[in-house]
Amino acid sequence: MGKPPLAVTRPTSHGTGRAIRRFRVAVTGGPASGASWQEPAERCAVGSHPSNDLVVDDPTVSRFHCELAIVGGAVRVRDLGSRNRTVAGRIAISDATVDGGTRLALGNSEIEIQVTPDVAQVAASERSAFGGLIGQSAAMREVFSQLEKIAASDATVLIEGETGTGKEGAADAIHDASARRDRPFVVLDCSALPASLLESELFGHEAGAFTGAIDRRAGAFEQASGGTLFLDEIGELPLDLQPKLLRALESREIRRLGGHQIVRCDVRIIAATNRDLRAEVNRASFRADLYYRLAVVRLALPPLRDRTGDIPLLAAHLLARTSVTAATLAALTAPDYLAALAAAHWPGNVRELRNHLEQCAVFGERRLPHAPAAPHPASVVDAALPYEVARKQAIDAFERAYVTRLLERVGDNVAAAAREAGVNRAYLHRLLRRHGVR
């Protein structure tokens, strides 16, 4: 299997945006010794899977082992839930910044990072908007530059970003700027439906295929034929459905449930997730071949905390869509209030900012955003446990505590809790069932 086309997130030496230092990664130990990577790019993914930037062909190296990113004159190292961990010296790294010259152990292999004096320019657009996405920060102008290239192609796209960063808006903007703009744009939220219905929603069904299937029904693939199918929260797709989706992506052919006829679908696929699917692949909860097929082009949307300079523009845009008096508008766009918004913690990103401003507009007052939560004391962990076991215990404890307190805040109203948390109601129901809260 060869490598997929290069993602358009790569900077070029002819860009007009930020200047970044270049870095080099070489395999200095293990069966892949001599392999290296040096591109004018901001990130380098390392692992044994062929879609990585630096492929380390070693069975002790995870398929997606770690990601390296240049930050100033140093390199941020983020382990992707690898089986044998990423180790510097004797310290296992989860997420840390290291200097040039650092050597990392990946299983039985070793890589060395070198930061060079050369620089590259990250391509940036002159736009301050692309479809429904708004921003004039460097981070967003870089996103717009990528969107311009993506919309001109017909490649499959994986949009990554935290909850509330505008993934569906980006997908919609790609479709509207593409040659398929006059054809359907169909959205299927993989987290909103029970697993028993998802297959029918994707591929359709014939009459009598199951109890309640009275008539033939076209699924999302057929409905989107000629246009774009947006698969939101693709990380929630059940494991048993993943090979069926993979076959549909590879052949662009589907068969309705209960049917025998092959239906050809001319459809562009855009998927989105708030998870790192490479880590899910390492945990065996997402198929590597499906990830490979979806991530032909990857687009990462920045969180609001990385683009606080866009808050004045966002506030003006969001408030223009609400019924607000001139006095309230002036108060909510005053420099001191915008500074308070920029200093706030926005875990729900632009969606949370929009909800907050709408509340202010309704009540005609300048409400202060929630202050960031105080740092939580270090969790008690058992270092005798394997990393993945200890990690799962910590995540389970956090999720259980979070949903319990969330329900307490909203008077046990699940719909209100989902809105408050900025997550889909079906996903929240799954969390509640998983932890026995409901």
Side-chain angles (χ1 to χ4, degrees):
M1 182 184 293
K3 292 187 71 171
L6 295 179
V8 295
T9 52
R10 291 185 180 280
T12 71
S13 57
H14 305 290
T16 58
R18 292 176 300 125
I20 58 169
R21 293 281 293 276
R22 295 183 61 175
F23 68 108
R24 179 176 186 273
V25 189
V27 183
T28 54
S33 286
S36 64
W37 173 92
Q38 184 173 9
E39 298 286 344
E42 199 165 6
R43 298 176 186 278
C44 173
V46 183
S48 57
H49 194 271
S51 65
N52 285 283
D53 299 298
L54 176 58
V55 179
V56 183
D57 190 6
D58 177 346
T60 67
V61 173
S62 292
R63 283 176 287 193
F64 300 99
H65 203 102
C66 62
E67 182 179 74
L68 313 176
I70 191 72
V71 181
V75 174
R76 180 184 177 189
V77 180
R78 187 165 64 89
D79 186 86
L80 298 173
S82 63
R83 184 175 65 254
N84 289 320
R85 303 186 295 181
T86 302
V87 179
R90 296 184 178 180
I91 300 173
I93 291 177
S94 173
D95 190 337
T97 301
V98 301
D99 295 324
T102 298
R103 295 194 173 202
L104 302 173
L106 281 57
N108 293 334
S109 291
E110 181 185 74
I111 62 173
E112 182 178 55
I113 301 167
Q114 291 292 347
V115 178
T116 75
D118 304 325
V119 297
Q121 297 288 328
V122 182
S125 172
E126 296 300 317
R127 296 172 179 256
S128 59
F130 194 101
L133 300 180
I134 304 292
Q136 50 191 214
S137 61
M140 287 306 291
R141 290 192 300 109
E142 288 162 19
V143 167
F144 297 155
S145 175
Q146 296 163 35
L147 285 169
E148 290 165 356
K149 299 180 181 72
I150 291 170
S153 79
D154 213 25
T156 300
V157 184
L158 179 64
I159 303 174
E160 300 166 305
E162 297 176 8
T163 296
T165 48
K167 296 185 289 295
E168 184 172 344
D172 194 31
I174 291 168
H175 174 77
D176 284 347
S178 76
R180 295 174 178 262
R181 66 180 68 86
D182 296 324
R183 304 296 294 167
F185 177 72
V186 176
V187 179
L188 180 64
D189 187 341
C190 298
S191 70
L193 294 166
S196 58
L197 292 180
L198 258 177
E199 185 172 2
S200 172
E201 289 293 320
L202 276 169
F203 307 122
H205 61 256
E206 298 288 350
F210 51 84
T211 302
I214 301 172
D215 300 311
R216 170 187 286 179
R217 183 180 185 278
F221 268 84
E222 283 185 84
Q223 294 171 33
S225 194
T228 303
L229 174 57
F230 176 52
L231 299 174
D232 200 8
E233 301 297 352
I234 191 67
E236 302 296 325
L237 190 71
L239 201 54
D240 61 340
L241 267 183
Q242 292 179 21
K244 298 176 182 179
L245 176 59
L246 176 63
R247 283 195 296 273
L249 294 180
E250 290 178 332
S251 66
R252 291 302 196 269
E253 294 177 345
I254 59 99
R255 186 160 48 194
R256 302 184 197 100
L257 285 178
H260 302 287
Q261 179 184 358
I262 299 296
V263 181
R264 179 75 182 167
C265 299
D266 170 25
V267 61
R268 182 186 194 169
I269 302 295
I270 302 177
T273 180
N274 59 13
R275 302 184 183 191
D276 191 324
L277 293 186
R278 296 169 299 180
E280 300 298 324
V281 168
N282 288 337
R283 285 195 283 271
S285 61
F286 202 86
R287 290 177 62 107
D289 47 6
L290 178 55
Y291 171 79
Y292 183 84
R293 179 61 63 179
L294 290 170
V296 176
V297 172
R298 291 173 59 206
L299 174 71
L301 297 183
L304 188 54
R305 63 180 173 274
D306 289 348
R307 47 179 295 226
T308 54
D310 286 334
I311 284 180
L313 186 66
L314 287 167
H317 173 74
L318 295 168
L319 288 167
R321 299 161 57 185
T322 65
S323 298
V324 59
T325 67
T328 301
L329 178 62
L332 295 179
T333 55
D336 63 324
Y337 188 65
L338 292 174
L341 294 180
H345 185 57
W346 298 105
N349 295 294
V350 177
R351 182 185 299 146
E352 184 184 357
L353 175 65
R354 180 195 65 201
N355 293 345
H356 177 80
L357 289 171
E358 287 179 355
Q359 290 175 13
C360 292
V362 167
F363 292 100
E365 61 186 24
R366 301 194 334 176
R367 297 189 164 194
L368 291 175
H370 294 302
H376 195 280
S379 300
V380 177
V381 296
D382 184 355
L385 294 173
Y387 170 79
E388 279 300 323
V389 175
R391 183 178 181 277
K392 185 176 186 307
Q393 286 184 355
I395 291 173
D396 286 347
F398 161 75
E399 288 181 345
R400 190 179 304 109
Y402 181 84
V403 296
T404 299
R405 286 164 178 73
L406 178 64
L407 284 178
E408 290 172 355
R409 270 191 74 202
V410 297
D412 210 36
N413 184 318
V414 175
R419 286 194 300 272
E420 186 83 8
V423 299
N424 184 276
R425 193 188 310 182
Y427 178 66
L428 181 57
H429 273 297
R430 281 201 295 277
L431 284 178
L432 297 174
R433 287 195 301 271
R434 182 187 305 165
H435 300 296
V437 178
R438 274 269 182 122

